Amino acid sequence: MTKNHNLFRHQHIFCCCLLFLTFIGPLSAQDLMVSGKVTDGQLPISGANILIKNTNSGVVTDFDGRFTITARPSDTLQISYLGYTTLTIPINNRSTINVTLQEDATALGEVQINAGYYSTTDREKTGSIARITAKDIELQPVNNPLGAMQGYMSGVNIVQNTGVPGGGYDIQIRGKNFINGGTDPLFIVDGVPYGSESLGSIAISVGINQGNTSPLNAINPNDIESIEVLKDADATAIYGSRAANGVVLITTKKGKQGKTEFNINMSSSLGTVSHFLDLLNTEQYLRIRREAIINDGRYDIENPAYDFIWPDVKTWDQNRYTDWQEELIGGTAYRKNLQLSVSGGSERTRFLISGSHQNETTVFPGDSRYKKIFLHNTLNHQSKNQRFKINLSTVYSIEDNRLPRTDLTSKAYTTEPNAPALYDGNGQLNWENNTFDNPLAVLEEKYQADVNTLIMNAGVAYQIMPSLELKTSLGYTTYNLSSYRILPNTARLPSYGFTPETYSNITTNGSERTSWIVEPQLNWHTQYGKLKLNALLGATFQHQNTDQLVLNGRGFPNNSLLLNLAAAKTITVMEDSDSKYAYQAFFGRVNFNWEDRYLLNLTGRRDGSSRFGSGKQFGNFGAIGAAWLFSEEELFNFSSILSFGKLRGSFGTTGSDNIGDYKFLDTYKITGADYDGVTVLEPNGILNSEFGWESNQKLETALELGFFNNRLILNSAWYKNRSSNQLIGIPLAHTTGFSELTGNFNATVENTGLEFDVISRNINRSSLKWTTVFNLTIPKNKLVKFPSLETSTFANKLIIGKPVTIKHLYHALGVDPETGVYQFKDYNNDGVINSSGDKKWIEDLSPEFFGGLGNTLTYKNLKLDIFFQFKKQKAYNLFRSVVNPGYRRNIPKQLLDYWQNPGDTTPIMQATMGYNSSLSSSISQQQSSNAAVSDASFIRLRNVTLSYQVPQNMLPAIDLSFYLQGQNLLTITSYDGPDPETFSMNILPPLRQITLGAQIRF
């Protein structure tokens, strides 16, 4: 119910205010100059009309909601504001009045919701649209818009990939629809489609995030006014082929009518790893290592020949202990953010100019950092007769990424506890006589990425007649990535004998993606008696170019010349590609509204894409949505309990062309090799012009209820999405020279689910407010149809009736008490455990349910927001990485309960260094068994914000507020890994962050 909660709290952003002054009782002989300020409890309400009923004189509140008006001591102020309850205040000889209005949920029908090509209201929408607004986003210390959405929306599952700055997010809207396709929705920023795929991911992965750097990092969350997520067919079908996975609409802030206002927002954050693993100490580690040496038959520990192979048990200090988690990921990450903005304007012209600078470090040693600069401006103008309107919006960002090439998290968990110091007495990397592979050597492998992003939009509209409007949306985006990594010989053990001439190399990546879009539209509306009719007709013309050049230079005279490719002995072209994508569409919408209670919405779109061959380029998509506001029927007119009731449903089809460019053609790629001085090309794509659009049919029914004058709102929805005509990379035999052939498969994937949203306004007094929001999603996914699955190459991956996210695993039976080796169920009873016949245990790692619970308490100028995120799921545990003690690496203490003697009953096998070949298969099979999966459910205290608004009478010239924010402060879980969502020992988990900030308006 997050969207409605925000509608309660942000009426002032989207509505006009009407403030009436009426006179009650006899007039006094003496007038007063009454000044005051109107707010919604947190922010001023600007542009309010204050009228004196009898004289028609009045004023308009300024940008800060302030007013001054002539009244008399016996007069009474009657204050009303659209979306808020009417307030009556006697003057009683007061000359200063500060007014705080309380939200009124009964006016939600006036709040505009962005539905993409059109706007609607929460009352009249026939589709499923989730929403968060600036107030919710500002409560979270995140640097990516997706981070602000985590846990706040039903049906939207978002997972943060890493705790390293600039990392990406995985997002699923109502499940995974396609077997081989991605789950990213269509992102639209101020009307301009914005590619979510990273150019780093289609290049050679050279940075710590390994291709997961999100382009959405280029959008400053503090510049966002609202984020709407379109989920069902009625809401998404108008976007046709691009909306199979849903649509995310990001709307940036605009200037407001009123005096020129300056806004300064300053914040400083501290971040630390929230959870360390309980690893072995030196005594425990060495004891197990010695047992492993003996078990593997390498019992001559005293032999000097093994000093180099086993330095941890022979030459290193046997009493030394270092907590490598503290050393490598135990630092404090700092983030400093400064944002300045100026906005204002008249009734006809409004503007906003905003700039911000953010600098963030990591918890790793060294001076790595991630810096961003944002520029955002908007200009809105309308002619005097309001028939011509133009809106201009620009978002520009510069990202300077100087993070390590390699995540040090895995080293923090595995480095031997008695390993030597990181630096020698001269401050140089310590290799300990070539026996210590120093984890900080990766810091010598310098990495830098510079990303420039530009998003521009122009909206031009002309009112041809009162009921007919012609408008055009023009958009342009560029995304430029320039990065390099250097691998000097000094980052490797000196014993390898590498020199700059034989080893040192640099890889550079220069990539650019540009896109333009033109969308002319014609809007018509009219009314015939009780029928309101709205119609929309439009077209889309889009073109996108992607260019990429990846070079590798190897062999340098010395490492100081590594940044100069011309100094390289050999230069190899690793990737040289360019692709073009053309897209066009025609779309329409017709909306019928009868008596404001019966609603019907029809949408349709015909798409054409250059990603398909001749005769397959075009696809047709559409939807029907209907709603019945049954609370408007006479039966409920006198109900004091039910204040709002709506039954709605939708059915329609969207599609997908998200397969990449030129898949239907024979294609070639550069191999990086040459033959007699000639660059070698090799085929990497095989001709198949017969495949076409993927299709996703969506069905939904929903019930929306409001009780007790909408102080309690309950929304529920059931959905079923069926995705067919799956575009799958069909594996081919290696003898063909190709790994796969792209084609349509007559397979069907079904996603069903229940979504619940609740808003409860528990206390709603002038000085004390308490609001609770709750959302819950129960998703189900299954493969409905896949012809001849048993004989296909997908037989070991998919099962009819099971989710497409399942994992085929061995069934672990524990440790054999006599041999100390892991045992597994022999499903085919052939006496051999192998993947072809015995990986029959099925686990699904997708969530069983997820959601969020938030509470907001406001007492006068003090406000407290608390939000919990929860999820029921399974995930890979520590056994996925390590299942046996004895390797030359540290391990969690859970592995201390290991087999030592015949007859022992333990969950962990005998100690081994990995030299015993008879144990190798048992180790790898345990890592791919159900023992490596465990419950990873959690309840996370995701956000806590305490804010204080300095009273206006203390600082009359400015608005000053302070806030203290916390993120990921507490996680309640039985999961024993680093983090239940990222569940990896190789990736830095999301950090616990504390932010202190101040905001000044004047």
Side-chain angles (χ1 to χ4, degrees), residues 866-902:
I866 302 176
F867 188 83
F868 289 90
Q869 177 194 6
F870 59 85
K871 190 176 292 187
K872 171 67 174 176
Q873 64 177 5
K874 290 183 178 181
Y876 285 121
N877 57 33
L878 296 174
F879 271 6
R880 186 66 174 177
S881 300
V882 55
V883 297
N884 67 288
Y887 277 133
R888 185 181 163 183
R889 57 173 292 180
N890 206 351
I891 56 175
K893 287 186 177 179
Q894 290 95 315
L895 274 68
L896 276 176
D897 189 11
Y898 62 96
W899 185 94
Q900 293 178 281
N901 299 295

Side-chain angles (χ1 to χ4, degrees), residues 657-690:
D657 67 347
N658 189 23
I659 58 170
D661 300 324
Y662 310 129
K663 292 292 185 179
F664 65 96
L665 294 174
D666 287 324
T667 56
Y668 297 81
K669 70 175 182 178
I670 295 174
T671 64
D674 65 84
Y675 178 77
D676 195 21
V678 178
T679 300
V680 176
L681 297 177
E682 70 176 17
N684 71 327
I686 186 171
L687 174 69
N688 180 17
S689 60
E690 297 301 315

Side-chain angles (χ1 to χ4, degrees), residues 1-11 105 108 113 122-123 125 129-131 644 704-705 713-715 757-759 761 773:
M1 203 59 202
T2 303
K3 52 184 180 299
N4 289 332
H5 171 56
N6 290 298
L7 295 177
F8 276 129
R9 301 169 55 199
H10 301 292
Q11 310 293 325
L108 291 180
I113 299 175
D122 193 64
R123 174 188 176 87
K125 65 181 175 65
I129 303 177
R131 184 170 185 259
F644 179 76
E704 301 177 5
L705 300 172
I713 294 181
L714 306 175
N715 286 356
D757 295 276
V758 180
I759 292 179
R761 302 175 59 79
V773 296

Side-chain angles (χ1 to χ4, degrees), residues 443-473:
L443 299 183
E444 296 288 306
E445 302 172 356
K446 300 296 183 182
Y447 166 70
Q448 180 174 339
D450 295 312
V451 181
N452 295 335
T453 304
L454 174 66
I455 306 173
M456 300 178 64
N457 172 254
V460 182
Y462 184 75
Q463 198 82 29
I464 301 174
M465 58 181 66
S467 61
L468 185 64
E469 181 186 51
L470 174 65
K471 67 178 183 179
T472 300
S473 176

Side-chain angles (χ1 to χ4, degrees), residues 261-272:
E261 181 190 68
F262 294 87
N263 190 323
I264 303 173
N265 193 336
M266 301 172 291
S267 66
S268 182
S269 302
L270 305 178
T272 58

Side-chain angles (χ1 to χ4, degrees), residues 98 143 241 504 623 906:
N98 289 326
N143 55 17
S241 65
S504 295
T906 63

Side-chain angles (χ1 to χ4, degrees), residues 285 289 308-309 311-312 316 416 435-436 886-890:
Y285 170 80
R289 280 281 287 157
F308 181 79
I309 300 175
D312 52 335
W316 291 354
E416 304 91 332
T435 63
F436 178 40
Y887 277 133
R888 185 181 163 183
R889 57 173 292 180
N890 206 351

Side-chain angles (χ1 to χ4, degrees), residues 579-869:
S579 63
K580 300 182 186 299
Y581 170 56
Y583 172 88
Q584 68 177 49
F586 298 93
F587 57 89
R589 170 184 180 257
V590 181
N591 180 265
F592 302 90
N593 184 330
W594 179 266
E595 290 187 325
D596 291 328
R597 67 179 70 177
Y598 307 108
L599 307 172
L600 181 66
N601 197 51
L602 304 175
T603 57
R605 189 176 183 107
R606 179 170 173 80
D607 283 357
S609 171
S610 65
R611 288 173 173 166
F612 301 106
S614 177
K616 299 290 184 178
Q617 297 102 325
F618 291 92
N620 299 316
F621 311 95
I624 178 172
W628 173 33
L629 277 70
F630 58 84
S631 57
E632 297 298 313
E633 302 293 344
E634 293 184 4
L635 176 65
F636 299 98
N637 281 350
F638 303 100
S639 174
S640 60
I641 299 176
L642 182 68
S643 51
F644 179 76
K646 180 171 69 173
L647 182 65
R648 61 174 178 85
S650 66
F651 176 77
T653 303
T654 59
S656 175
D657 67 347
N658 189 23
I659 58 170
D661 300 324
Y662 310 129
K663 292 292 185 179
F664 65 96
L665 294 174
D666 287 324
T667 56
Y668 297 81
K669 70 175 182 178
I670 295 174
T671 64
D674 65 84
Y675 178 77
D676 195 21
V678 178
T679 300
V680 176
L681 297 177
E682 70 176 17
N684 71 327
I686 186 171
L687 174 69
N688 180 17
S689 60
E690 297 301 315
F691 64 80
W693 299 85
E694 290 179 310
S695 176
N696 189 3
Q697 287 189 343
K698 300 181 179 183
L699 173 67
E700 179 184 73
T701 60
L703 179 64
E704 301 177 5
L705 300 172
F707 299 96
F708 312 113
N709 198 29
N710 285 350
R711 290 192 61 174
L712 176 64
I713 294 181
L714 306 175
N715 286 356
S716 59
W718 171 85
Y719 64 87
K720 180 170 74 172
N721 299 343
R722 283 203 164 193
S723 307
S724 57
N725 210 31
Q726 301 271 332
L727 281 171
I728 295 176
I730 304 169
L732 298 176
H734 291 294
T735 55
T736 65
F738 298 92
S739 60
E740 64 181 23
L741 171 69
T742 300
N744 291 118
F745 230 86
N746 189 25
T748 301
V749 177
E750 180 181 275
N751 281 289
T752 60
L754 291 170
E755 297 175 359
F756 301 95
D757 295 276
V758 180
I759 292 179
S760 176
R761 302 175 59 79
N762 309 311
I763 300 175
N764 193 25
R765 299 172 184 170
S766 60
S767 60
L768 179 62
K769 300 178 183 179
W770 174 23
T771 301
T772 300
V773 296
F774 173 78
N775 74 81
L776 172 66
T777 302
I778 307 174
K780 298 291 183 182
N781 176 282
K782 68 178 179 180
L783 179 65
V784 176
K785 182 175 67 173
F786 197 119
S788 304
L789 175 62
E790 296 79 6
T791 59
S792 75
T793 55
F794 292 91
N796 293 327
K797 296 181 180 180
L798 303 174
I799 298 176
I800 301 293
K802 296 290 185 179
V804 296
T805 54
I806 60 172
K807 304 296 181 182
H808 288 253
L809 305 168
Y810 297 105
H811 182 192
L813 300 178
V815 176
D816 187 329
E818 298 303 317
T819 64
V821 179
Y822 291 120
Q823 302 296 299
F824 307 93
K825 183 173 181 178
D826 186 1
Y827 278 94
N828 57 8
N829 296 314
D830 63 353
V832 179
I833 303 298
N834 54 45
S835 60
S836 60
D838 299 310
K839 266 193 170 182
K840 301 297 184 180
W841 184 274
I842 304 301
E843 291 283 2
D844 182 21
L845 304 188
S846 58
E848 294 183 33
F849 63 81
F850 59 90
L853 172 66
N855 282 278
T856 301
L857 293 98
T858 303
Y859 178 70
K860 295 184 178 179
N861 293 338
L862 195 63
K863 183 179 180 183
L864 177 65
D865 288 272
I866 302 176
F867 188 83
F868 289 90
Q869 177 194 6

